[in-house]
Each structure stands twice: as C-alpha cells, then as structure tokens.
Amino acid sequence: MAKLTILEFPDPRLRRRATDVESVDDTLRQLIDDMFETMYDAPGIGLAATQVDVHRRLLVADVSSEKDDPWALINPVILERDGVEVTEEGCLSVPGFYEEVERSGHIQVRFLDREGAEVEAEFTGLLAVCVQHEIDHLDGKLFVDYLSEAKRQRIRRRLVKDQRQRQHDAAAAL
Ligand code: GNR
Ligand code: NI
C-alpha cells in the first residue's frame, strides 16, 4: 500500500481530461487500493485518479461515517439525472475552501467494478454529489469553476501563496 501525492489547484495537470481505462488488471487494483488509502488518510469522501496525476477514468468514494462502504468506479458514465441537491463542497485539491454547489440529487451510473464487471447503480444524496464531483475531476473540472471569477481568483492567490511558502520552508530545511 502506498499513500499518493494529491495535486493542488491551480496545477494545470488537474485540467487534463482522463481517458478510458483499457484493462482492469492487478496493476489497476493496486492503484485503486492506494487511492483508497490516500482518500481515507486525507481524510476525504472521494478521490479521482486525476488528483494523483493518473489521467485514467477511475474514481473511489466512501461517504459512510464508518468508512465501510467503499465504491470504486471505472469508466463511469451518468445515464440519467434527476432532482437538485445543494451541498457545501470541499476538495482535497483545493484545501481549506468550502462553498455551496448545486448538483443533481439522483444519478444512474454505469461503470466497471474492480473485477471488470459492468454495473449499473443509482446514487442519491451525498454519494450522488460526490460521484458528480469526481467525474468532473476526470473531465478536468473543479468545484471552484462553479463559483464567481472573483471567488476563484481569491482562492487561487491564497493557494499559490501557501504553496510558495511550503516550497520555501522545504528548501530552508535542507
Ligand atoms: O472530501 C471531500 N468532500 C466533499 C464534500 C462535499 C462534496 C464533495 C466532496 S469530495 C471531497 C474529496 C475530493 O476532493 N474529491 O475529489
Ligand atoms: Ni475534489
């Protein structure tokens, strides 16, 4: 098992559009396990491969409080959506910022599971919101894209400043 490094906004690699997973094999299952470890450790309720600089259509999620409801979705496609859910969202790639975002409250999704079997499932509430947030990552989209340019600019400046400070601290510690 290995904890992976999470890219942070405004890293341009978060803007890449992920391509389909071609084969569900042991290498992919190892990546899924590492993504779960990284997500639980963060802690977060979801993680897209894009966030760990792997540009393949793969996401993990677990919105349960007991951390006992892990979902791994490979090549997910939203077939149907319905209703509206407004959630205060955060993102491991946008640390420290939380803003309300409007998404669908119910989604029907087709994907491959970790054995490569085709699955159709209906997600509601926070899990539906989380899966939409993760699929956005696979398309190079972030929750800050739903905010005003002014808010996004403020978040970008703050994070760039924090990232420079960390770089500086790390160099000084050598
Ligand atoms: O941990 C996370 N919490 C969260 C809360 C509301 C809506 C979406 C999320 S996903 C986020 C983890 C993350 O950044 N996934 O990409
Ligand atoms: Ni995110």
Side-chain angles (χ1 to χ4, degrees), residues 44-47 51 87-92 129 133-134 137:
I45 60 170
L47 189 70
Q51 292 176 279
T87 311
E88 178 149 291
E89 295 198 12
C91 180
L92 295 172
V129 166
H133 174 117
E134 305 315 335
H137 276 301

Side-chain angles (χ1 to χ4, degrees), residues 2-172:
K3 218 192 112 194
L4 308 169
T5 303
I6 299 176
L7 301 177
E8 289 187 11
F9 178 70
D11 193 309
R13 291 172 289 183
L14 288 168
R15 296 308 189 179
R16 287 177 60 177
R17 189 189 147 81
T19 56
D20 277 342
V21 168
E22 302 281 350
S23 112
V24 181
D25 54 15
D26 286 346
T27 305
L28 190 82
R29 281 184 281 271
Q30 182 62 59
L31 173 61
I32 290 170
D33 290 344
D34 290 345
M35 285 174 62
F36 273 119
E37 183 182 355
T38 304
M39 179 191 81
Y40 286 127
D41 185 77
I45 60 170
L47 189 70
T50 303
Q51 292 176 279
V52 295
D53 204 21
V54 174
H55 302 279
R56 295 287 176 206
R57 302 191 75 80
L58 164 67
L59 67 90
V60 298
D62 186 344
V63 303
S64 72
S65 41
E66 302 299 326
K67 302 296 165 211
D68 59 356
D69 189 26
W71 285 87
L73 278 60
I74 300 162
N75 299 342
V77 178
I78 297 176
L79 303 172
E80 283 178 55
R81 51 173 82 238
D82 183 33
V84 174
E85 183 94 12
V86 176
T87 311
E88 178 149 291
E89 295 198 12
C91 180
L92 295 172
S93 296
V94 190
F97 294 91
Y98 304 86
E99 296 283 349
E100 282 190 346
V101 176
E102 191 177 301
R103 299 194 189 265
S104 304
H106 303 256
I107 54 171
Q108 185 80 22
V109 185
R110 181 163 61 214
F111 57 93
L112 302 179
D113 68 14
R114 60 180 290 141
E115 308 307 329
E118 190 171 296
V119 177
E120 262 191 42
E122 188 192 349
F123 300 119
T124 62
L126 187 56
L127 186 51
V129 166
C130 184
V131 167
Q132 289 169 82
H133 174 117
E134 305 315 335
I135 291 175
D136 269 359
H137 276 301
L138 302 180
D139 291 327
K141 192 163 176 137
L142 298 167
F143 87 93
V144 298
D145 299 344
Y146 297 102
L147 310 179
S148 68
E149 180 60 41
K151 270 190 183 170
R152 191 162 47 250
Q153 192 71 251
R154 193 181 125 253
I155 293 170
R156 182 188 292 113
R157 292 206 168 102
R158 180 77 238 180
L159 288 176
V160 166
K161 197 174 167 202
D162 291 352
Q163 288 158 23
R164 286 208 186 106
Q165 186 60 52
R166 264 183 280 146
Q167 278 282 327
H168 177 266
D169 292 350

